[in-house]
Amino acid sequence: MGIVRTDDSRKIEIEEFRRMLVTCAGLHGKKDEEESMGRRRLTAGAENDDALDKLVCVTSGVSFLGLAIVNQLLLRGYSVRIVVNNEEDIEKLREMELSGEMMGTNSRIGAVMAKLTDAESLTEAFSGCYGVFHTAAFIDPAGLSGYSRSMSEMEVKATETVTKACATAPSVRYCVLTSSLLACVWQNHSLGNVSPVINHDCWSDESVCIEKKLWFALGKLKAEKAAWRVAEETGLKLVTLCPGLIAGPEFFRRNSTSTIAYLKGAQEMYANGSLASADVDRVAEAHVCVFEAMNKTASGRYICFDQVIACEDDVAKLARETEMQINTIAENVYSNSRTRFTLSNSKLSRLVSRTLRCNDEF
């Protein structure tokens, strides 16, 4: 949220929303037809008919990741309420509703305006919702300095407020928070007890993030910790996902400020083996998969990534996709790094394997 959009990026988002809703409308139209012929079929991921009627809420649901999560929820039969904080996003949704192509889906998606720093408006927005997906991040509203230190503090405040509102809203049982792999990888080597394996138990060091001016990492780290404090104090059932750099079709064009903010420090991450990416659709699938397992086995934190950027070809591809110079991502200035890490997403892989009966995809 807070991203200043160009006309081109807005058109891309509108077209993506239209495509998503048309797809969902077609899927559920076919489902209704099959049921009328006596061939009942459950939507993937739903365990019973009750799950199909659940209302869930997604903050910043018209963002790059938010759209993908909304898409996955609709495909699984959920009704979705999107929290937006400006008229531009409301207008975007209105344009989608005016399209005659999505009659089968628009009754299951709606929007409400609320400020992510206003607990009262959020509690009202979450009213009637079974679960909340908090995906929003603060970006410089002037579009000048990217993700600044002040933005990190705003994100911490917003996340704290969202989780408190989740705990207050009587209907909300579960909250899924989007954190970042950056909240795990920035270790303090001087302590001498750094594990070579980075997994869901690892936390970045705030002092390292501040020293290196890694404000995006600092914001995600402190926001996630704030959410866990609220969850412990209130009893809110919370899980957090820590994805790598979120990629996918035209990801830099659609999510440029966050991408640039994530890649600050890319040279060091590449050198020590902790630079990784995650396809936006798989990140969205992971969010919904974890949410659906929260009444059983899902708990705590989950690292999510598809690929570790580990060779020159990977770097060249990422440079092309982000329109960045190769040496910005992987200049060999950290060749004497004392630690090379191995990233592990085994916890998420096991959960996905159990709940969706698929091979390790994350």
Side-chain angles (χ1 to χ4, degrees):
M1 61 174 297
I3 298 175
V4 176
R5 299 179 179 86
T6 64
D7 289 341
D8 286 344
S9 65
R10 186 167 184 269
K11 289 178 182 177
I12 291 172
E13 290 176 351
I14 290 174
E15 183 55 36
E16 176 65 15
F17 216 162
R18 178 176 289 112
R19 181 200 63 76
M20 176 190 78
L21 292 175
V22 169
T23 299
C24 291
L27 183 151
H28 287 281
K30 181 178 179 181
K31 176 177 178 289
D32 293 342
E33 179 182 351
E34 290 179 352
E35 290 181 355
S36 68
M37 298 175 65
R39 297 194 301 273
R40 186 168 183 80
R41 177 174 60 86
L42 285 177
T43 305
E47 296 181 357
N48 51 56
D49 293 343
D50 291 337
L52 302 179
D53 299 324
K54 296 298 183 183
L55 173 64
V56 296
C57 190
V58 180
T59 65
S60 193
V62 292
S63 66
F64 183 52
L65 174 59
L67 274 172
I69 292 175
V70 171
N71 186 32
Q72 288 298 321
L73 289 166
L74 291 174
L75 287 172
R76 283 170 161 81
Y78 291 92
S79 295
V80 182
R81 181 181 298 162
I82 297 173
V83 172
V84 297
N85 76 325
N86 57 62
E87 289 292 343
E88 179 184 353
D89 288 338
I90 289 288
E91 182 61 29
K92 184 184 300 182
L93 290 169
R94 188 173 293 118
E95 290 186 39
M96 297 302 94
E97 291 176 346
L98 291 176
S99 170
E101 302 167 302
M102 42 182 181
M103 294 178 61
T105 303
N106 59 1
S107 63
R108 294 193 297 109
I109 187 169
V112 60
M113 286 191 64
K115 294 183 179 180
L116 295 186
T117 53
D118 184 345
E120 184 177 351
S121 67
L122 284 172
T123 301
E124 183 176 348
F126 297 161
S127 177
C129 294
Y130 179 71
V132 173
F133 295 80
H134 180 45
T135 68
F138 279 85
I139 302 298
D140 181 9
L144 300 175
S145 60
Y147 195 101
S148 64
R149 185 167 188 174
S150 63
M151 295 299 106
S152 72
E153 295 302 325
M154 291 172 65
E155 176 155 2
V156 174
K157 175 63 176 176
T159 299
E160 185 177 40
T161 306
V162 167
T163 48
K164 286 182 177 179
C166 287
T168 303
S171 61
V172 175
R173 293 189 59 187
Y174 306 120
C175 176
V176 180
L177 169 68
T178 308
S179 182
S180 173
L181 183 59
L182 297 181
C184 309
V185 302
W186 290 104
Q187 308 285 312
N188 189 340
H189 301 282
S190 65
L191 297 178
N193 59 350
V194 176
S195 169
V197 177
I198 294 177
N199 60 19
H200 54 278
D201 290 324
C202 296
W203 289 91
S204 291
D205 188 287
E206 288 188 27
S207 63
V208 173
C209 295
I210 293 171
E211 178 188 353
K212 297 178 182 292
K213 296 182 171 55
L214 302 168
W215 308 131
F216 192 76
L218 181 67
K220 290 298 185 182
L221 171 64
K222 293 181 66 176
E224 186 183 354
K225 286 186 173 181
W228 281 116
R229 284 196 299 270
V230 173
E232 291 173 3
E233 293 169 358
T234 63
L236 174 68
K237 292 184 178 179
L238 172 72
V239 296
T240 59
L241 270 84
C242 302
L245 173 67
I246 298 179
E250 297 187 297
F251 74 93
F252 182 70
R253 189 179 180 189
R254 296 172 58 194
N255 202 34
S256 58
T257 312
S258 293
T259 299
I260 293 170
Y262 188 101
L263 290 174
K264 187 173 183 180
Q267 294 175 341
E268 185 170 353
M269 287 190 287
Y270 173 75
N272 66 29
S274 64
L275 181 60
S277 63
D279 179 79
V280 65
D281 289 329
R282 294 197 177 182
V283 175
E285 290 171 4
H287 276 71
V288 181
C289 178
V290 167
F291 172 72
E292 292 183 338
M294 286 181 72
N295 65 337
K296 294 182 179 179
T297 60
S299 63
R301 310 171 79 213
Y302 293 85
I303 283 181
C304 179
F305 65 91
D306 297 314
Q307 179 187 21
V308 176
I309 310 301
C311 65
E312 292 182 4
D313 289 343
D314 295 339
V315 173
K317 181 175 183 291
L318 182 59
R320 289 194 301 271
E321 292 172 332
T322 58
E323 302 173 7
M324 299 173 69
Q325 296 294 319
I326 289 178
N327 61 4
T328 303
I329 301 172
E331 186 175 14
N332 190 27
V333 296
Y334 293 96
S335 57
N336 295 322
S337 176
R338 287 170 290 179
T339 304
R340 184 161 181 87
F341 296 111
T342 298
L343 299 179
S344 173
N345 53 14
S346 59
K347 182 182 177 183
L348 180 60
S349 295
R350 289 193 300 269
L351 178 68
V352 170
S353 180
R354 286 196 303 267
T355 58
L356 299 185
R357 298 179 183 178
C358 65
N359 296 324
D360 289 352
E361 294 180 348
F362 293 92

